[in-house]
Amino acid sequence: ETLLSEIREHLRLPHGAKLKLIEDWERISREKKLAPLPRTPSIHTILDDFLAAKARRTSHERLYGEVCDGVRAYFNQALPTILLYKYERRQFRETKENQKTQPVEYYGAEHLLRLFVKLPDLLARCNMQREHMTVLVSKLAELLKFVISNKQKYLNADYTEPGDEYLSWWAGSTDA
């Protein structure tokens, strides 16, 4: 519990990011819109930008690279099970069928912020030495600050209306 509360404190989303996630939820769940895929920039690009920014300022490039690789792996695993709203699941399946790449290549910052909401619980379950966890959480907090400080570049304000077929599917879906 102590570890979880410490992780939550370090990875607390700023107010503006919380508002963005609320807006994201409203667009998808209430208005039945979708974030367009593939997203530009993708999470992969965001992580590369973060890594490039850190490489200019620090000698710990390898450590940041490992953190970014871990975020990519966590995201790809977590997306279909805990990061999507029910309404987005068909879009995910259809996009995955048409893409030869991993989800980090075609999802964007909104979905990355959703991962940050889940990360404290996921990390608290990891069997990791306390010192390593402290370093990891501090680097993740830096990544979160980087995304927020570049929100104009990374966070999408546009959501799209899905086609009639998608809406018909949703109306008849047991997921609805």
Side-chain angles (χ1 to χ4, degrees), residues 67-163:
V67 169
C68 289
D69 288 345
V71 169
R72 285 181 180 98
Y74 253 80
F75 183 84
N76 288 331
Q77 290 295 315
L79 179 72
T81 56
I82 63 173
L83 300 181
L84 293 175
Y85 298 115
K86 288 180 181 182
Y87 189 69
E88 296 174 298
R89 291 183 182 154
R90 181 176 179 188
Q91 180 193 38
F92 167 74
R93 287 190 301 271
E94 290 173 353
T95 304
K96 187 176 178 186
E97 288 172 8
N98 296 323
Q99 297 285 331
K100 304 287 187 239
T101 58
Q102 295 291 320
V104 293
E105 296 285 343
Y106 51 89
Y107 277 89
E110 294 79 12
H111 289 84
L112 181 59
L113 287 180
R114 293 184 200 176
L115 177 63
F116 271 95
V117 171
K118 303 287 186 175
L119 269 178
D121 292 320
L122 295 171
L123 291 173
R125 292 187 213 144
C126 288
N127 187 14
M128 187 182 294
Q129 290 180 0
R130 182 77 173 207
E131 311 84 64
H132 295 150
M133 181 66 73
T134 302
V135 170
L136 174 61
V137 170
S138 74
K139 301 308 175 211
L140 290 169
E142 288 180 46
L143 172 58
L144 179 59
K145 287 177 187 170
F146 176 81
V147 172
I148 299 306
S149 68
N150 292 286
K151 64 185 174 193
Q152 299 294 40
K153 180 178 178 183
Y154 297 139
L155 290 169
N156 181 24
D158 298 327
Y159 289 79
T160 60
E161 298 277 348

Side-chain angles (χ1 to χ4, degrees), residues 11-24 109-110 113-114 116-117 144 147-148 151 155:
L11 297 180
R12 177 173 285 144
L13 268 67
H15 183 69
K18 290 177 186 177
L19 291 176
K20 178 60 184 163
L21 286 174
I22 292 168
E23 175 190 330
D24 183 56
E110 294 79 12
L113 287 180
R114 293 184 200 176
F116 271 95
V117 171
L144 179 59
V147 172
I148 299 306
K151 64 185 174 193
L155 290 169

Side-chain angles (χ1 to χ4, degrees), residues 9 16 23 29 50 56 73 77 81 88 111 114 124 166 173-174:
E9 180 63 31
E23 175 190 330
S29 298
F50 173 69
R56 288 191 300 266
Q77 290 295 315
T81 56
E88 296 174 298
H111 289 84
R114 293 184 200 176
Y166 197 97
S173 171
T174 57

